[in-house]
Amino acid sequence: MTTRIRLCHLYPDQLNIYADRGNIAVLRSRAARRGYELEVIGVGVGETLSPECDLIYLGGGQDREQALIAPDLARRADEISSALEDGTALLAVCGGYQLLGRGYRDRTGVEMRGAGVLPLETVAGEGRMIGDVSIECELDPGDTHSVVGFENHGGRTHLDPGAVAFGRVVHGFGNDGASGFEGCRLGKAIGTYLHGPLLPRNPWLADWLLAQALGRRRGEAPDLEPLDDELEHQAHAVALKRARERGGKLP
Ligand code: GLN
C-alpha cells in the first residue's frame, strides 16, 4: 500500500515565479523513488485548506500578485497555525514567506497585512536585492549544510528578537542585506528568499521536508533511504561558485 504524502499548494496561480513550482516536482520525484505518492492539492483564494495536510507550500510573487492573495492569506492565520501545531511541515518562498509574517509594506507604501504566523515583518527598500546566494544552515543540531539559490526581492525582512533564521548568509543579501541572516525557521516551517527553484540543488532539504511531512502521521520523522544525488551535487557546486563570485553585490 503506497503511503501518500499530502501537499497543499497555496495560491498556485498567483505565487509562482522563478519556477518555484519546480520545488513540487522535486518533492514528488524524491518521494516516488522511495515508494511514496505526493498528492498535490492546489488551494486558491477562498478555498479550504485540508486539515489532513502534511506539507504546506507557498511560492514567490510580485507585489501585484501578493496584493491579490494577502487578505485571504491573513484570514488563514489560525488555520495555518493549527496545522503547524498538528505537525504539518511548511516551505514558503520569497513573497509567500514575507506574507506569513505580520505584513509587507511594498515600495508604493501599500501595507499588506500578513498571516502573522512567522515572527517577522517586511518593508520594501531602495533597489532590489538580486543575485546568487549561499547560506549555511543547521536544521538539526550538528548537521550543517550549505544551501544555494537565487534571490530577487525589494523587501527587507526583519526578524523579531529571539526569532530563528533559516540560515547564515555566506554570499548574497539574505533577509535585509545587513543582518547576515536569511529566512526564518519555526519548528517544521521554513521561510526563505531562495528561488531557483530551491530544492533541485539542495536535495537534503527536500528530504528533510519529506521526512517532516511523513512525521506528522507517524509521530517522528523517518530516515529516508539515500538516493544517488551526483547531478544535484554538481548543480550545487556550480551555484555555489556563482554565489561566491557575484553574490551580494547591489546592481
Ligand atoms: N514582491 C516581493 C519583493 O519584491 C517578493 C518578490 C519575490 O517573491 N521574488 O520583495
Side-chain angles (χ1 to χ4, degrees):
M1 213 296 281
T2 302
T3 300
R4 182 176 296 172
I5 301 171
R6 178 170 290 172
L7 182 151
C8 296
H9 185 182
L10 280 170
Y11 317 115
D13 300 332
Q14 292 88 5
L15 297 186
N16 178 44
I17 53 176
Y18 289 108
D20 287 343
R21 205 184 285 272
N23 289 322
I24 295 180
V26 168
L27 291 166
R28 178 180 278 122
S29 149
R30 299 185 72 83
R33 285 186 277 162
R34 280 95 170 216
Y36 300 111
E37 182 204 340
L38 187 75
E39 178 194 11
V40 178
I41 302 171
V43 182
V45 170
E47 295 174 350
T48 306
L49 179 69
S50 153
E52 291 303 313
C53 200
D54 303 307
L55 182 54
I56 295 172
Y57 177 74
L58 294 94
Q62 306 299 354
D63 293 1
R64 199 180 75 82
E65 279 71 32
Q66 288 175 286
L68 292 175
I69 60 97
D72 186 79
L73 182 58
R75 277 193 294 273
R76 292 180 190 275
D78 295 346
E79 213 178 7
I80 296 173
S81 294
S82 52
L84 296 183
E85 276 152 32
D86 177 40
T88 299
L90 180 149
L91 175 65
V93 177
C94 207
Y97 158 50
Q98 293 169 336
L99 290 175
L100 284 179
R102 285 185 298 280
Y104 168 44
R105 189 171 70 226
D106 75 13
R107 67 186 183 288
T108 66
V110 170
E111 296 278 357
M112 296 177 218
R113 193 162 65 81
V117 170
L118 294 180
L120 55 94
E121 54 196 20
T122 305
V123 179
E126 274 315 302
R128 298 189 67 78
M129 296 181 155
I130 303 176
D132 296 281
V133 184
S134 79
I135 67 172
E136 200 174 81
C137 178
E138 188 180 343
L139 296 179
D140 299 317
D143 191 16
T144 304
H145 290 270
S146 153
V147 178
V148 293
F150 183 83
E151 62 184 333
N152 181 346
H153 53 107
R156 275 74 170 158
T157 294
H158 308 290
L159 301 184
D160 292 355
V164 178
F166 172 43
R168 184 182 62 76
V169 175
V170 179
H171 306 288
F173 297 103
N175 282 341
D176 58 6
S179 65
F181 292 124
E182 199 295 309
C184 180
R185 188 232 172 135
L186 186 70
K188 298 164 69 167
I190 293 173
T192 177
Y193 272 116
L194 273 57
H195 292 282
L198 171 67
L199 298 180
R201 288 169 283 200
N202 304 289
W204 73 272
L205 181 58
D207 289 353
W208 187 88
L209 288 163
L210 287 173
Q212 300 306 321
L214 284 163
R216 187 184 80 85
R217 301 180 203 202
R218 300 179 181 191
E220 66 167 342
D223 290 326
L224 299 177
E225 105 211 41
L227 298 174
D228 171 4
D229 289 330
E230 184 44 38
L231 206 55
E232 289 83 351
H233 292 151
Q234 287 173 21
H236 185 100
V238 169
L240 191 56
K241 184 169 177 293
R242 273 210 309 257
R244 194 178 295 129
E245 286 160 3
R246 58 187 183 177
K249 298 189 181 65
L250 276 171

